[in-house]
Amino acid sequence: MSTGRMVGTFSRIRHLRSHQPLGPIVRIAPNHISIADTTAVEVVYAHGNNALKAEFYEPFVTVSTSVFTTRDRAEHARKRKIVSHAFAPKTVLEYEPHVREHLGTLL
């Protein structure tokens, strides 16, 4: 395991341990919370939840914004519509055999 992966792993472990005494939602900075609850994924990341993406995403913009980095609602909706078919449950399930086939190579 590389040093970077070890540091990242230890950081995640320490981060998750902070939830043990404090619960599934922990305030980690004035404007940041950490949620360790799988049932919250749909609520937090749901389309149309009216949450704006934070400035955190701006450093990820390279030449232009992507569906991941776009903070403007109208632009995000347009870009999301273009790629939404690729993330439909049926399509994702169709990818699974290909992912499993190449998983050993990636690890």
Side-chain angles (χ1 to χ4, degrees):
M1 182 182 289
S2 71
T3 305
R5 276 181 72 183
M6 284 183 6
V7 170
T9 300
F10 292 130
S11 176
R12 281 191 297 276
I13 290 169
R14 185 182 59 216
H15 184 73
L16 289 174
R17 284 186 180 156
S18 70
H19 284 278
Q20 288 173 343
L22 301 172
I25 301 174
V26 177
R27 184 177 180 186
I28 57 175
N31 294 320
H32 292 83
I33 60 171
S34 172
I35 302 173
D37 182 351
T38 56
T39 62
V41 171
E42 281 193 44
V43 175
V44 173
Y45 293 106
H47 177 64
N49 68 1
N50 292 325
L52 289 174
K53 286 188 176 178
E55 293 173 354
F56 166 85
Y57 291 89
E58 290 179 0
F60 297 101
V61 176
T62 53
V63 176
S64 65
T65 59
S66 69
V67 72
F68 173 72
T69 59
T70 300
R71 295 179 64 211
D72 178 82
R73 287 184 199 276
E75 183 181 0
H76 176 76
R78 184 183 63 77
K79 290 182 179 199
R80 185 175 184 273
K81 185 176 181 180
I82 294 168
V83 299
S84 63
H85 68 282
F87 299 100
K90 180 179 182 249
T91 307
V92 172
L93 288 173
E94 290 172 358
Y95 293 148
E96 188 174 359
H98 303 291
V99 172
R100 288 188 182 278
E101 178 183 345
H102 299 287
L103 189 60
T105 306
L106 297 172
L107 296 176

